[in-house]
Short mmCIF file of all heavy atoms in Angstrom, two decimals:
data_model
loop_
_atom_site.label_atom_id
_atom_site.label_comp_id
_atom_site.label_asym_id
_atom_site.label_seq_id
_atom_site.Cartn_x
_atom_site.Cartn_y
_atom_site.Cartn_z
N GLN A 32 4.58 13.08 6.06
CA GLN A 32 5.18 14.41 6.05
C GLN A 32 5.58 14.83 7.46
O GLN A 32 4.89 14.53 8.43
CB GLN A 32 4.21 15.44 5.46
CG GLN A 32 3.94 15.23 3.99
CD GLN A 32 3.13 16.35 3.39
OE1 GLN A 32 1.99 16.17 2.96
NE2 GLN A 32 3.74 17.54 3.34
N SER A 33 6.71 15.53 7.53
CA SER A 33 7.17 16.05 8.82
C SER A 33 7.87 17.39 8.62
O SER A 33 8.45 17.64 7.55
CB SER A 33 8.11 15.04 9.48
OG SER A 33 9.26 14.85 8.68
N PRO A 34 7.83 18.28 9.64
CA PRO A 34 6.98 18.13 10.83
C PRO A 34 5.51 18.39 10.50
O PRO A 34 5.19 18.83 9.40
CB PRO A 34 7.53 19.23 11.74
CG PRO A 34 7.98 20.30 10.79
CD PRO A 34 8.53 19.56 9.59
N GLU A 35 4.63 18.12 11.45
CA GLU A 35 3.20 18.41 11.24
C GLU A 35 2.97 19.90 11.20
O GLU A 35 2.10 20.38 10.48
CB GLU A 35 2.37 17.79 12.36
CG GLU A 35 2.27 16.28 12.28
CD GLU A 35 1.29 15.74 13.29
OE1 GLU A 35 0.50 16.52 13.85
OE2 GLU A 35 1.31 14.52 13.54
N ALA A 36 3.71 20.64 12.01
CA ALA A 36 3.58 22.09 12.06
C ALA A 36 4.96 22.70 12.26
O ALA A 36 5.83 22.10 12.90
CB ALA A 36 2.64 22.51 13.18
N LEU A 37 5.14 23.89 11.70
CA LEU A 37 6.42 24.56 11.78
C LEU A 37 6.19 26.07 11.84
O LEU A 37 5.48 26.62 11.00
CB LEU A 37 7.28 24.21 10.56
CG LEU A 37 8.69 24.82 10.49
CD1 LEU A 37 9.53 24.35 11.66
CD2 LEU A 37 9.36 24.44 9.17
N ARG A 38 6.77 26.68 12.85
CA ARG A 38 6.64 28.13 13.01
C ARG A 38 8.02 28.75 12.83
O ARG A 38 8.97 28.37 13.54
CB ARG A 38 6.08 28.47 14.39
CG ARG A 38 5.73 29.92 14.61
CD ARG A 38 5.21 30.13 16.03
NE ARG A 38 3.98 29.37 16.27
CZ ARG A 38 2.76 29.86 16.14
NH1 ARG A 38 2.59 31.12 15.76
NH2 ARG A 38 1.70 29.12 16.41
N LEU A 39 8.17 29.68 11.90
CA LEU A 39 9.44 30.32 11.60
C LEU A 39 9.31 31.83 11.67
O LEU A 39 8.22 32.37 11.47
CB LEU A 39 9.92 29.94 10.19
CG LEU A 39 10.15 28.46 9.90
CD1 LEU A 39 10.43 28.26 8.41
CD2 LEU A 39 11.31 27.92 10.72
N GLN A 40 10.42 32.47 11.90
CA GLN A 40 10.45 33.92 11.80
C GLN A 40 10.66 34.29 10.32
O GLN A 40 11.28 33.54 9.55
CB GLN A 40 11.59 34.51 12.63
CG GLN A 40 11.41 34.37 14.13
CD GLN A 40 10.21 35.16 14.62
OE1 GLN A 40 9.30 34.60 15.22
NE2 GLN A 40 10.19 36.45 14.36
N GLU A 41 10.17 35.43 9.94
CA GLU A 41 10.39 35.91 8.58
C GLU A 41 11.88 35.93 8.28
O GLU A 41 12.68 36.43 9.08
CB GLU A 41 9.80 37.31 8.41
CG GLU A 41 9.90 37.84 7.00
CD GLU A 41 9.16 39.17 6.83
OE1 GLU A 41 8.58 39.67 7.82
OE2 GLU A 41 9.17 39.71 5.71
N GLY A 42 12.27 35.34 7.14
CA GLY A 42 13.68 35.29 6.76
C GLY A 42 14.42 34.06 7.24
O GLY A 42 15.57 33.83 6.83
N GLU A 43 13.78 33.25 8.10
CA GLU A 43 14.43 32.06 8.65
C GLU A 43 14.18 30.86 7.73
O GLU A 43 13.07 30.33 7.66
CB GLU A 43 13.89 31.78 10.06
CG GLU A 43 14.50 30.57 10.72
CD GLU A 43 13.85 30.29 12.08
OE1 GLU A 43 12.92 31.02 12.47
OE2 GLU A 43 14.28 29.31 12.73
N SER A 44 15.19 30.40 7.05
CA SER A 44 15.05 29.31 6.08
C SER A 44 14.90 27.96 6.78
O SER A 44 15.41 27.76 7.89
CB SER A 44 16.27 29.27 5.16
OG SER A 44 16.42 30.50 4.48
N SER A 45 14.21 27.03 6.12
CA SER A 45 14.02 25.70 6.69
C SER A 45 13.61 24.73 5.58
O SER A 45 13.49 25.12 4.41
CB SER A 45 12.96 25.74 7.79
OG SER A 45 12.90 24.50 8.47
N SER A 46 13.39 23.47 5.96
CA SER A 46 12.98 22.45 5.00
C SER A 46 11.86 21.60 5.55
O SER A 46 11.81 21.30 6.74
CB SER A 46 14.16 21.53 4.67
OG SER A 46 15.21 22.24 4.07
N LEU A 47 10.95 21.21 4.65
CA LEU A 47 9.87 20.30 4.97
C LEU A 47 10.18 18.95 4.32
O LEU A 47 10.70 18.90 3.21
CB LEU A 47 8.53 20.82 4.43
CG LEU A 47 8.19 22.29 4.69
CD1 LEU A 47 6.83 22.62 4.12
CD2 LEU A 47 8.30 22.62 6.14
N ASN A 48 9.81 17.88 5.02
CA ASN A 48 10.14 16.55 4.54
C ASN A 48 8.91 15.76 4.11
O ASN A 48 7.84 15.87 4.72
CB ASN A 48 10.87 15.76 5.63
CG ASN A 48 11.19 14.34 5.21
OD1 ASN A 48 10.44 13.42 5.50
ND2 ASN A 48 12.28 14.18 4.49
N CYS A 49 9.07 14.97 3.06
CA CYS A 49 8.02 14.07 2.61
C CYS A 49 8.69 12.73 2.29
O CYS A 49 9.46 12.64 1.34
CB CYS A 49 7.34 14.62 1.36
SG CYS A 49 6.22 13.46 0.54
N SER A 50 8.41 11.72 3.08
CA SER A 50 8.94 10.39 2.79
C SER A 50 7.83 9.53 2.21
O SER A 50 6.67 9.66 2.61
CB SER A 50 9.53 9.74 4.04
OG SER A 50 8.54 9.57 5.03
#
Side-chain angles (χ1 to χ4, degrees):
Chain A
Q32 293 188 245
S33 62
E35 288 188 15
L37 181 62
R38 188 181 298 265
L39 300 172
Q40 292 296 122
E41 184 174 0
E43 180 184 1
S44 301
S45 188
S46 298
L47 313 181
N48 177 265
C49 170
S50 62

